[in-house]
Amino acid sequence: MRTISNKKVNLRIGYGIDVHRLEENMPLFIGGVRIESDLGAVGHSDADVLLHAICDALLGAANLRDIGYHFSDTDPKFKGIDSKILLSEVVKLIEAKGYSTVNVDCTVVLERPKLNPHIPAIQKVISALLKVDGDAVSIKATTHEQVDSFGASEAVKAYAVCLLDK
Ligand code: MG
């Protein structure tokens, strides 16, 4: 607990990263939105790289381990699961420790297709799940400049940082 301008605050920063392999004939979900693409993400769940990175950022800020600790990728219960359900469960976990989200800032590394047209829809989904205004959810998209496996569209990656308040 710190005191800033005579106000007691308990702010916690969190950080998350996730990677999923890309393959043909798979759906691509990013931030809870289905993206039209010839390549989709492979994973035990729906492989939503952005929601997984946000889950880990929230869990990290609340010191609640990581997404794999809570939702094992070998548990049949989570096979093909909508990652929006996982994020809503993570929100319940941080709320149980008295935390709420202040904001999140994220970057998705995807060579193609362009993510920018989808960002308003993604912000809407994530802000509803985190129970914050759309302004508290920043989503940035970048390519990997055709370099390495990400640049060759072999994988997609997401980074997220968050701030929680108690
Ligand atoms: Mg993942």
Side-chain angles (χ1 to χ4, degrees):
M1 186 81 75
R2 295 166 63 87
T3 306
I4 299 173
S5 302
N6 289 328
K7 186 178 173 246
K8 283 181 179 166
V9 291
N10 191 354
L11 297 172
R12 304 270 294 229
I13 193 169
Y15 150 78
I17 180 171
D18 193 37
V19 169
H20 281 271
R21 204 154 37 77
L22 293 172
E23 275 185 12
E24 286 178 356
N25 303 313
M26 295 292 293
L28 181 62
F29 290 99
I30 295 184
V33 172
R34 173 88 187 254
I35 310 289
E36 211 49 57
S37 173
D38 58 330
L39 297 171
V42 182
H44 184 67
S45 65
D46 66 1
D48 191 319
V49 72
L50 177 56
L51 295 189
H52 294 178
I54 293 171
C55 283
D56 260 4
L58 296 175
L59 290 169
N63 200 355
L64 284 168
R65 307 285 299 262
D66 56 49
I67 189 172
Y69 176 82
H70 295 281
F71 315 108
S72 167
D73 66 0
T74 55
D75 189 335
K77 192 167 63 183
F78 303 121
K79 180 94 187 105
I81 194 169
D82 181 341
S83 294
K84 295 196 290 298
I85 295 168
L86 302 183
L87 182 53
S88 66
E89 289 301 314
V90 166
V91 168
K92 284 182 202 163
L93 288 169
I94 65 155
E95 285 175 345
K97 271 190 97 168
Y99 292 107
S100 61
T101 304
V102 177
N103 74 306
V104 293
D105 183 23
C106 315
T107 301
V108 179
V109 182
L110 181 66
E111 203 64 18
R112 62 182 163 83
K114 290 282 179 216
L115 214 53
N116 270 311
H118 303 285
I119 285 178
I122 293 171
Q123 275 173 324
K124 206 171 171 181
V125 169
I126 294 171
S127 61
L129 289 166
L130 298 181
K131 307 175 188 175
V132 295
D133 288 343
D135 186 52
V137 178
S138 156
I139 310 294
K140 308 185 299 294
T142 189
T143 72
H144 213 255
E145 293 289 329
Q146 299 175 14
V147 174
D148 296 340
S149 51
F150 296 98
S153 289
E154 290 172 16
V156 56
K157 175 161 56 177
Y159 302 91
V161 291
C162 72
L163 195 66
L164 302 186
D165 187 19
K166 194 178 216 172

